[in-house]
Amino acid sequence: MNPLEFHEKYKGKLSVNSKVPLKNRIDLSLAYTPGVAEPCKEINKNVKDVYKYTIKGNSVAVISDGSAVLGLGNIGAEAAIPVMEGKCVLFKEFANIDAFPICIKSQETEEIINIVKNIAPVFGGINLEDISSPRCFEIEERLKKELDIPVMHDDQHGTAIVVLAGLINAAKVVKKDIKILKIVVNGAGAAGTAVAKLLLKEGVGDIILVDREGILNKNNKNLTFHKKEMAKITNKGNKEGKLNDALKKADVFIGLSAPNVLKADDIKLMNKDSIIFAMANPIPEIMPDEAKKGGAKVIATGRSDFPNQINNVLTFPGVFRGALDNKVNKITDEMKLNAAHALASVVKDVKTEKIIPDVFDKSVVKVIANSIK
Amino acid sequence: MNPLEFHEKYKGKLSVNSKVPLKNRIDLSLAYTPGVAEPCKEINKNVKDVYKYTIKGNSVAVISDGSAVLGLGNIGAEAAIPVMEGKCVLFKEFANIDAFPICIKSQETEEIINIVKNIAPVFGGINLEDISSPRCFEIEERLKKELDIPVMHDDQHGTAIVVLAGLINAAKVVKKDIKILKIVVNGAGAAGTAVAKLLLKEGVGDIILVDREGILNKNNKNLTFHKKEMAKITNKGNKEGKLNDALKKADVFIGLSAPNVLKADDIKLMNKDSIIFAMANPIPEIMPDEAKKGGAKVIATGRSDFPNQINNVLTFPGVFRGALDNKVNKITDEMKLNAAHALASVVKDVKTEKIIPDVFDKSVVKVIANSIK
């Protein structure tokens, strides 16, 4: 079956079901009127009881405005629904979380913030998804401040956690201390920015961020606000130039960008035993064979048909499972670092082709959930 | 089990589940990346395909701002959740519709309209619930105009349909033509207003609306806008006074108001073989025995422990099932009249204590759904 036939067959991937019996008048009087008035009155007296009597304690909204969906760009709210439904399926299957897709028509920052705040009562967590940069930064920051439930933009932090986990184990393979690694991150959007920030929190040696225009550095007056901020905290030597210039003497390449931007000769510019995370999907920045020709030692991609698949599905189910179970109302940088180390620790026998757990490894969710507290 | 224990045991009444398998990499590549990009691209090309590839064709939002919940009043968004979840359970159990509760923090008319419009993409229908009058009228009218999916405020129209259905059969029992019935509706909020309007569309003799201040009439300058509008189209004789005055020579009393507002002596003011729908819940406007003492012939309540239970659950599942299946984007007055006649027709052997189908009568949904087209 191809993906279109698959989606047409099931007519969407989610169903909403009753957890309670409803076969007779007694059931009806408990689940609906008149009995339902009792939990309503209790919640009205003490709003915290919403966790006791409703779905809030296990529900997450998967929210997108359809402005940056997969690699497809700004395809709008309706066209984003299949991805958001898919995400909800993953929430259920991996973490037993009841997630529901909310696709917002507006792409105005203030309006999106207002809408999410207003529909938050029934949700125990907010997973922001596929919202374009730099709007995603303000939307997430503001919602974190203004809501008392956990809010996470998965494209940013889900990616950052899994990348750091992979890097922790890759560094073990090449026997380099993560504290001295020189890292090039290609792509300065939502994912690239969050990856760079989390790696800096972990204490890596240096990071150079590269976007389509070249290296982000402090001399460049044309950068947007958020890229200027990133230039301030990265690129210690204030290098200028293109991706090639950044790669010279680097230990790690992290691609969150576009297909085929690298060749073996580019990898040769890097230090010995280089680490390559080529995560553009479905076609990576460089194919594993080509990277190996250039001398790369550890290679990871976003694809399931190569070893070392770096995929957010390893992180967001566990992060929200932990946040819900441990009544965490903010997902902090410390929790993200802990989650990355927890995820890395799941791989017992770290080796070149095994730096990250398999996406279907059932132990991952619990280990990450335990780290979110 | 009492209702609090019941709600605490299940921790809410809904779950969101996957309809698709997700056991291996092939499943993952169909339900999520990379396969999910295909339906996204199709919907981006032709937005109507959202019905083909997503849950939209079977999903309804149950939306409240918590401003008029059951008889509890303005208890707010969180405290409204148990009722909205209950409604979603009924949608599933009676009509196999995937309904999800959305409880909105704001109680500003324009903001609610804006929020509902913005989150509409994933839903095939909007069920408004427990929003206080008169805001509910404008919110529903505007959403009907500005959205291309069916929108129904169930407190209004679900109630109106089931009341008209009951009245059609009650009129048969007392052998009076519905066209000559003089009807008193006590309560001029959302439900009372909608009931009066639908009965007028059906062509009843006359309606007198009564609120806490007394009879709505054209001389009263102190009425709110919507009550003035109702005074214009009701009360042909322009009667003044209290509920008692309205009841004189009336054939039908329809209570959508408060407990114990009537006694047997009040019923005696009415015409012979009076019809009493005392729907205040859980304590009706008059208990059936007391109404009988006053000479009432047909008595209905909202309660399951007396005959003739008038309950919205007989209507909204079928109305939305029909609207979704028949791709109806507006629920018109004609459809509501048809739905009421369809519902009345389900009772084959109409008699004093059987004017309306049992709430668990499985044939009801299909019959009503067929009338919504």
Side-chain angles (χ1 to χ4, degrees), chain B residues 307-367:
Chain B
N308 296 331
Q309 185 187 10
I310 306 267
N311 190 316
N312 290 15
V313 77
L314 286 164
T315 56
F316 68 83
V319 169
F320 277 96
R321 183 73 274 157
L324 292 171
D325 289 350
N326 303 323
K327 303 260 181 278
V328 162
N329 59 11
K330 298 265 182 287
I331 295 159
T332 64
D333 288 339
E334 197 189 345
M335 292 175 200
K336 290 178 223 158
L337 294 172
N338 290 342
H341 283 272
L343 178 55
S345 76
V346 172
V347 186
K348 295 302 171 206
D349 182 20
V350 174
K351 50 194 177 189
T352 309
E353 301 207 331
K354 185 71 183 175
I355 60 166
I356 199 82
D358 183 276
V359 293
F360 285 100
D361 184 333
K362 293 282 174 196
S363 66
V364 165
V365 164
K366 194 174 270 186
V367 168

Side-chain angles (χ1 to χ4, degrees), chain A residues 14-27:
Chain A
L14 297 174
S15 68
V16 184
N17 298 93
S18 173
K19 292 194 289 188
V20 303
L22 197 82
K23 294 294 163 222
N24 54 47
R25 282 167 212 283
I26 294 169
D27 295 342

Side-chain angles (χ1 to χ4, degrees), chain A residues 278-300:
Chain A
M279 292 177 288
N281 225 338
I283 302 164
E285 285 82 353
I286 183 168
M287 293 300 273
D289 278 357
E290 180 78 4
K292 243 174 249 172
K293 272 193 228 161
K297 174 81 178 177
V298 181
I299 303 158

Side-chain angles (χ1 to χ4, degrees), chain A residues 13 15 17 19 25 31 358, chain B residues 13 15 17 19 25 31 358:
Chain A
K13 293 169 286 197
S15 68
N17 298 93
K19 292 194 289 188
R25 282 167 212 283
D358 184 277
Chain B
K13 293 170 284 196
S15 68
N17 298 93
K19 294 194 288 187
R25 282 167 212 284
D358 183 276

Side-chain angles (χ1 to χ4, degrees), chain B residues 163 166-167 170-171 174 182-184 247 250-255 261-264 266-271 273-280 284-302 307-310 352 355:
Chain B
V163 165
L167 190 61
V174 299
K182 289 183 196 156
I183 300 167
V184 174
L247 287 173
D251 301 292
V252 181
F253 169 83
I254 295 173
V261 297
L262 292 181
K263 296 215 176 308
D266 300 309
I267 306 299
K268 287 179 186 161
L269 300 169
M270 297 174 71
N271 281 337
D273 289 344
S274 59
I275 297 166
I276 306 296
F277 290 2
M279 292 176 288
E285 285 81 353
I286 182 167
M287 294 298 274
D289 278 357
E290 180 78 5
K292 243 175 247 169
K293 273 192 228 161
K297 175 81 177 176
V298 181
I299 302 157
T301 69
N308 296 331
Q309 185 187 10
I310 306 267
T352 309
I355 60 166

Side-chain angles (χ1 to χ4, degrees), chain A residues 160-307:
Chain A
I161 292 167
V162 68
V163 165
L164 175 54
L167 190 62
I168 288 165
N169 284 340
K172 285 182 201 161
V173 172
V174 299
K175 300 197 175 63
K176 294 184 185 177
D177 184 348
I178 200 165
K179 307 286 182 209
I180 60 114
L181 291 181
K182 288 183 197 156
I183 299 167
V184 174
V185 176
N186 197 38
T193 300
V195 165
K197 282 183 171 172
L198 195 65
L199 298 185
L200 287 171
K201 289 269 171 207
E202 176 69 13
V204 299
D206 192 20
I207 293 180
I208 296 178
L209 264 169
V210 184
D211 72 2
R212 277 187 211 90
E213 310 297 318
I215 293 172
L216 268 59
N217 69 77
K218 296 161 193 75
N219 306 334
N220 193 333
K221 302 267 185 284
N222 297 324
L223 296 179
T224 60
F225 173 77
H226 106 268
K227 287 184 180 175
K228 262 190 197 130
E229 294 299 303
M230 292 309 295
K232 283 183 198 164
I233 56 171
T234 56
N235 195 356
K236 286 178 183 171
N238 210 28
K239 272 194 187 179
E240 300 191 13
K242 299 287 175 192
L243 178 56
N244 274 1
D245 302 297
L247 287 174
K248 283 169 200 157
K249 306 274 174 201
D251 300 292
V252 181
F253 169 84
I254 296 173
L256 295 153
S257 48
N260 295 322
V261 296
L262 291 182
K263 295 213 178 314
D265 283 345
D266 301 308
I267 307 300
K268 288 179 186 160
L269 300 169
M270 297 175 70
N271 281 337
K272 195 170 170 283
D273 290 341
S274 59
I275 297 166
I276 306 297
F277 290 2
M279 292 177 288
N281 225 338
I283 302 164
E285 285 82 353
I286 183 168
M287 293 300 273
D289 278 357
E290 180 78 4
K292 243 174 249 172
K293 272 193 228 161
K297 174 81 178 177
V298 181
I299 303 158
T301 69
R303 285 169 61 139
S304 59
D305 52 352
F306 294 121

